[in-house]
């Protein structure tokens, strides 16, 4: 079976089809749409990246109970004896498996209460209320679930590749990482973050916060 | 979290018919009604859990000419769609320039022209994603038999997936390492038993260390494994399992890989190894 260039089939900034701007109701079709989508041109520019031009982010902190508790949410990767280009390719592959996640929370359906049930206005109000409720439910529980699956996919993929995960306080983590619950970040910003992550992953071995399981 | 898992399980159960809508298989026949169509093929396995299991029918060399022609037609349609959408997108973009309107704040991206090089034509589009659902309970056992009639061909175990219009897709794909097997016309092919080690251990989330439990495991067919009485005298062929490499996350769900299978499937880090040959599996 031929593997697509992007295992997640995600080309949100370039593709004809993408999740952003698409109602979550259509997200189940994302895989189908993405399979139809035009793939972006090959990202040949990565061969030209000089890791020396990418500054290492601040990874120094004093762990406390709160930061340690959140290591499972805010982490980064490192592997010994790994060059930047390899780390970049690995991170892109794993990011590809972790983007355009499909889960949505539809919320709970609420019947239109008497005396408006059965009228067009009541039906419309109920439909709007349900749509709004579903939207709110998805923005909270659905988004949390998408963030959770993204974390699982990233860690599964990178651990299969032999990388170790290290926790960080959120304030440092967000300088070179991102979550995708409701909004998706622009592709250029995503790629920039992945470059910094690759710089870290192929840099000096971290001394703090390794997640051991 | 447990509630979420229960909700997912309920959605999975609800979603099976929806997932089946994409599949090519015919509804499984009731016990005692089994007739084997010599032009069709049959996938069979056992499991203690009632999950619909998805398989990808591969584009083999024999199928490739037909698939290539269909892909070309689909590409032409996508190109025509792009030719309609691109000018419309440019017009709307010009109208939105500097506008505070909400619809302008969340503009879709500029469409990209589909080309021979970048056009993907995957199994969800071609109808080559097949779902095999529970067929009947095994006698004197907590296991169930799973059985479906499919097109003859080569199949890769994709994972457990369910899709509903409201909740999207849920499940786990074996995107980073799985098995393939041939199913010839007129054959019932037995791929053994599917197990769910993580579920059996009560783990809601995977762990990532050396003791990680896989979401799914294939136990290859063995003569001691039970067969449904409904098969009667129909011969059952053990699946010749071979390693299959990575697959895209078509549904945007959780990813995993099958447990290693002695003599069949192994790994060097994330590299899938066909243990029958000692090298990477065929693409």
């Amino acid at each position: 079976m031929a593997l697509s260039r992007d295992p997640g089939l995600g080309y949100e900034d370039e593709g004809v089809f993408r999740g952003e701007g698409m109602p979550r109701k259509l997200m189940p079709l994302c895989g189908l749409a993405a399979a139809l989508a035009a793939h972006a041109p090959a990202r040949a520019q990565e061969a030209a990246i000089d890791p020396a031009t990418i500054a290492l982010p601040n990874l120094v902190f004093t762990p406390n109970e709160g930061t340690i508790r959140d290591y499972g949410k805010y982490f980064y990767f490192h592997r010994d004896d790994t060059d930047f280009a390899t780390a970049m390719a690995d991170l892109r592959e794993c990011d590809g498996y972790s983007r355009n996640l499909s889960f949505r929370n539809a919320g709970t359906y609420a019947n239109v209460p008497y005396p408006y049930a059965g009228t067009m206005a009541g039906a419309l109000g109920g439909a709007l209320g349900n749509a709004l409720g579903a939207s709110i439910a998805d923005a909270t529980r659905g988004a949390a679930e998408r963030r959770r699956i993204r974390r699982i996919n990233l860690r599964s993929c990178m651990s299969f590749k032999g990388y170790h995960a290290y926790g960080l306080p959120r304030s440092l983590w967000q300088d070179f990482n991102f979550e995708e619950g409701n909004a998706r970040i622009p592709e250029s910003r995503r790629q920039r973050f992945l470059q910094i992550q690759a710089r870290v992953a192929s840099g000096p071995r971290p001394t703090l916060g390794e997640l051991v399981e | 979290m447990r509630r979420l898992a229960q909700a997912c399980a309920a959605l999975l159960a609800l979603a099976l018919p929806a997932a089946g809508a994409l599949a090519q298989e015919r509804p499984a026949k009731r016990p005692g009604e089994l007739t084997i169509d010599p032009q069709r093929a049959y996938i069979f396995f056992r499991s203690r859990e009632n999950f619909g299991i998805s398989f990808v029918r591969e584009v083999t060399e024999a199928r490739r000419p037909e698939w290539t022609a269909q892909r070309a037609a689909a590409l032409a349609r996508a190109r025509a769609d792009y030719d309609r959408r691109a000018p419309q997108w440019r017009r709307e973009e010009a109208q939105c320039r500097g506008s505070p309107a909400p619809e302008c704040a969340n503009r879709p991206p500029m469409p990209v022209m589909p080309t021979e090089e970048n056009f993907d034509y995957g199994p969800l589009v071609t109808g080559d994603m097949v779902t095999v659902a529970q067929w009947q309970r095994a006698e004197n056992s907590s296991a169930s038999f799973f059985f479906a009639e499919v097109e003859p061909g080569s199949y890769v175990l994709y994972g457990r997936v369910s899709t509903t219009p409201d909740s999207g897709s849920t499940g786990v794909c074996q995107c980073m390492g799985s098995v393939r097997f041939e199913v010839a016309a007129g054959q019932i092919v037995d791929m053994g038993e599917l197990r769910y080690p993580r579920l059996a251990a009560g783990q809601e989330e995977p762990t990532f260390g050396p003791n990680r439990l896989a979401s799914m495991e294939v136990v290859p067919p063995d003569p001691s494994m039970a067969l449904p009485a409904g098969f009667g005298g129909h011969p059952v062929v053990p699946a010749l399992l071979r390693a299959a490499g990575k697959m895209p996350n078509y549904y945007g769900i959780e990813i995993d890989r099958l447990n290693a299978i002695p003599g069949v499937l192994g790994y060097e880090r994330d590299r899938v190894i066909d243990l029958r040959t000692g090298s990477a599996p065929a693409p």
Side-chain angles (χ1 to χ4, degrees):
Chain A
M1 176 181 304
L3 176 66
S4 297
R5 263 171 262 145
D6 184 331
L9 293 171
Y11 290 88
E12 64 219 53
D13 272 22
E14 314 96 323
V16 176
F17 305 93
R18 67 165 189 175
E20 189 176 350
M22 176 193 297
R24 283 285 175 196
K25 195 150 195 162
L26 298 183
M27 289 299 286
L29 299 175
C30 278
L32 183 62
L36 277 166
H39 280 184
R43 293 158 174 155
Q45 75 276 12
E46 72 186 64
I49 298 170
D50 177 3
T53 63
I54 301 170
L56 276 171
N58 180 18
L59 303 174
V60 179
F61 64 100
T62 303
N64 60 41
E65 193 179 328
T67 57
I68 292 170
R69 188 175 56 239
D70 283 346
Y71 279 174
K73 285 186 180 176
Y74 307 115
F75 51 81
Y76 64 99
F77 299 102
H78 178 270
R79 191 176 71 184
D80 289 340
D81 305 320
T82 301
D83 60 60
F84 173 82
T86 302
M88 189 71 203
D90 287 340
L91 282 159
R92 278 198 173 140
E93 181 184 354
C94 294
D95 178 66
Y97 275 125
S98 310
R99 62 199 288 177
N100 289 339
L101 298 175
S102 169
F103 181 88
R104 81 177 286 277
N105 190 310
T108 304
Y109 183 84
N111 284 315
V112 182
Y114 182 85
Y116 302 106
T119 67
M120 184 54 73
L124 183 60
L128 289 172
N130 280 320
L132 181 62
S135 176
I136 292 170
D138 184 62
T140 51
R141 292 190 293 274
E145 180 64 2
R146 286 188 290 275
R147 286 194 294 269
R148 187 184 75 89
I149 295 173
R150 176 175 173 81
R151 290 194 294 268
I152 289 174
N153 286 3
L154 283 175
R155 286 198 65 191
S156 294
C157 181
M158 292 297 278
S159 68
F160 290 154
K161 291 172 177 289
Y163 288 81
H164 294 260
Y166 296 82
L168 267 184
R170 186 172 190 272
S171 58
L172 300 182
W173 178 88
Q174 65 189 7
D175 287 344
F176 64 109
N177 293 278
F178 56 93
E179 294 182 302
E180 287 184 303
N182 289 318
R184 298 220 169 95
I185 68 168
E187 187 64 25
S188 56
R189 190 157 172 247
R190 174 191 293 269
Q191 295 302 321
R192 180 65 186 158
F193 277 164
L194 292 177
Q195 288 173 16
I196 301 172
Q197 290 170 28
R199 175 79 174 89
V200 172
S202 58
R205 183 194 287 185
T207 55
L208 275 177
E210 181 171 4
L211 279 73
V212 179
E213 295 186 70
Chain B
M1 191 54 66
R2 183 172 294 280
R3 259 187 238 147
L4 180 61
Q6 288 168 344
C8 287
L11 287 172
L12 273 171
L14 283 171
L16 288 176
L22 281 173
Q24 286 188 320
E25 84 281 12
R26 294 180 192 170
K29 298 174 179 66
R30 304 309 309 162
E33 296 176 349
L34 183 64
T35 55
I36 298 297
D37 181 342
Q39 303 302 314
R40 304 281 289 174
Y42 300 86
I43 294 176
F44 168 73
F45 58 88
R46 307 150 191 83
S47 178
R48 293 176 190 278
E49 302 293 338
N50 185 11
F51 294 124
I53 303 300
S54 296
F55 295 83
V56 176
R57 187 164 72 112
E58 298 192 276
V59 181
T60 56
E61 285 311 305
R63 281 188 64 204
R64 191 159 297 280
E66 178 192 13
W67 181 87
T68 301
Q70 291 170 341
R71 181 183 185 277
L75 175 56
R77 289 194 297 272
R79 179 59 187 268
D81 183 59
Y82 167 82
D83 289 343
R84 280 192 305 273
R85 291 162 59 111
Q88 180 185 345
W89 186 92
R90 289 191 200 98
R91 277 196 305 274
E92 292 172 355
E93 185 72 5
Q95 290 165 2
C96 272
R97 198 157 293 141
S99 167
E103 61 269 26
C104 292
N106 193 21
R107 290 272 298 140
M110 187 177 77
V112 169
M113 181 189 298
T115 66
E116 187 63 44
E117 290 71 34
N118 67 19
F119 185 65
D120 188 49
Y121 190 58
L124 297 188
V125 182
T126 59
D128 286 321
M129 190 69 81
V130 171
T131 300
V132 179
Q134 187 186 52
W135 182 47
Q136 59 177 256
R137 304 288 299 180
E139 289 180 17
N140 305 319
S141 167
S142 58
S144 292
F145 297 128
F146 289 67
F147 179 70
E149 183 180 291
V150 297
E151 293 283 337
S154 175
Y155 286 82
V156 177
L157 172 59
Y158 190 75
R160 64 174 177 87
V161 184
S162 69
T163 301
T164 65
D166 279 343
S167 62
S169 296
T170 55
V172 185
C173 81
Q174 305 303 312
C175 290
M176 295 194 71
S178 187
V179 289
R180 60 161 52 94
F181 55 98
E182 298 280 340
V183 191
Q187 281 187 347
I188 299 173
V189 172
D190 178 357
M191 67 169 295
E193 180 179 349
L194 289 192
R195 293 180 182 166
Y196 302 89
R198 204 170 89 197
L199 190 65
Q203 285 184 7
E204 292 175 357
E205 294 206 2
T207 58
F208 305 96
N211 298 320
R212 176 192 177 97
L213 293 175
S215 59
M216 184 183 283
E217 178 178 55
V218 174
V219 181
D222 180 283
S224 67
M225 290 181 175
L227 290 172
F231 280 179
H234 293 297
V236 177
V237 180
L240 179 60
L241 299 173
R242 292 185 177 278
K246 296 177 185 175
M247 297 176 278
N249 187 2
Y250 293 114
Y251 295 94
I253 57 177
E254 185 183 327
I255 62 161
D256 198 1
R257 66 185 188 189
L258 287 181
N259 265 351
I261 303 173
V264 176
L265 171 66
Y267 302 99
E268 288 174 1
R269 284 191 170 161
D270 65 316
R271 183 168 169 256
V272 180
I273 305 295
D274 181 346
L275 294 180
R276 294 180 190 277
T277 64
S279 56

